[in-house]
C-alpha cells in the first residue's frame, strides 16, 4: 500500500515519542485520532509491516491492536528519523516525581493508616440457652 512520506514520518515520530500505539480495527475510519490526522487504514498497515519485521510487539484484544516498540524498532526509528542516542521513548523514561511507598506500618504504630484502634470489644455471652 502506498503511504505518503509525510504521513509515514508522522506515525513514526508519534510511535517513537510514546513507545506504544493503539489502533482500533476499523479500516474505514477517516482519521486515526485527533493527534494523528491520518486514515486509520494507513496506520494499521504501517504497524502491520513493523510487526512483521520485529520492530513492534503486537497484541490484539477486543477489536483493538496494541503495539509496543522493541529495541530493534527503537534503533530503526533512530536511524530513519535521524535522532540522537540520548532521546528515548516515553515508555523507557523513569517517572520523575513518583513517590515510592515505604510499606505497611509496623504493628502497634499509630497513624492515619494504622487501622482500627482496638476499641471494639464484642460481648459474647450465652443468651437464653442458645447452643448451650
Amino acid at each position: 500500500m502506498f503511504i505518503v512520506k509525510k504521513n509515514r514520518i508522522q506515525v513514526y515520530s508519534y510511535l517513537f515519542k510514546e513507545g506504544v500505539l493503539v489502533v482500533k480495527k476499523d479500516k474505514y475510519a477517516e482519521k486515526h485520532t485527533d493527534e494523528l490526522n491520518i486514515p486509520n487504514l494507513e496506520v494499521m498497515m504501517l504497524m502491520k509491516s513493523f510487526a512483521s519485521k520485529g520492530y513492534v510487539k503486537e497484541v490484539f484484544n477486543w477489536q483493538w491492536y496494541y503495539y509496543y516498540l522493541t529495541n530493534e524498532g527503537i534503533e530503526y526509528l533512530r536511524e530513519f528519523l535521524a535522532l540522537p542516542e540520548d532521546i528515548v521513548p516515553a515508555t523507557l523514561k523513569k517517572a520523575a516525581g513518583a513517590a515510592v511507598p515505604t510499606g505497611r506500618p509496623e504493628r502497634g504504630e499509630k497513624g492515619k493508616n494504622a487501622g482500627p484502634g482496638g476499641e471494639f470489644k464484642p460481648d459474647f455471652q450465652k443468651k437464653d440457652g442458645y447452643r448451650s
Side-chain angles (χ1 to χ4, degrees):
M1 172 176 209
F2 181 74
I3 299 172
V4 181
K5 189 171 185 177
K6 179 186 77 156
N7 291 353
R8 184 182 306 262
I9 290 174
Q10 192 175 359
V11 172
Y12 289 177
S13 299
Y14 182 81
L15 178 62
F16 188 84
K17 181 180 85 170
E18 298 296 327
V20 295
L21 187 65
V22 179
V23 182
K24 185 174 182 176
K25 186 181 175 185
D26 182 9
K27 298 176 185 176
Y28 304 108
E30 293 183 15
K31 65 178 186 172
H32 177 66
T33 60
D34 292 334
E35 295 171 356
L36 291 173
N37 195 9
I38 299 169
N40 200 40
L41 180 62
E42 291 184 6
V43 178
M44 286 174 62
M45 293 300 112
L46 284 171
M47 291 299 102
K48 186 176 179 182
S49 172
F50 263 38
S52 70
K53 295 175 185 175
Y55 295 153
V56 293
K57 180 184 165 206
E58 177 186 53
V59 177
F60 182 73
N61 190 14
W62 287 71
Q63 302 299 312
W64 288 86
Y65 290 100
Y66 299 91
Y67 295 100
Y68 306 97
L69 201 55
T70 62
N71 291 335
E72 294 82 19
I74 292 171
E75 291 173 14
Y76 174 78
L77 288 177
R78 271 203 188 113
E79 288 178 22
F80 188 86
L81 299 172
L83 297 172
E85 291 287 324
D86 59 337
I87 297 176
V88 294
T91 53
L92 297 180
K93 293 179 184 174
K94 299 210 183 238
V100 178
T102 58
R104 296 179 63 182
E106 293 295 324
R107 199 169 250 221
E109 279 186 34
K110 295 287 182 183
K112 63 181 177 181
N113 294 330
E119 304 297 324
F120 178 68
K121 295 181 181 169
D123 186 20
F124 294 112
Q125 296 178 358
K126 294 183 181 178
K127 294 184 181 184
D128 299 329
Y130 179 73
R131 291 193 182 194
S132 36

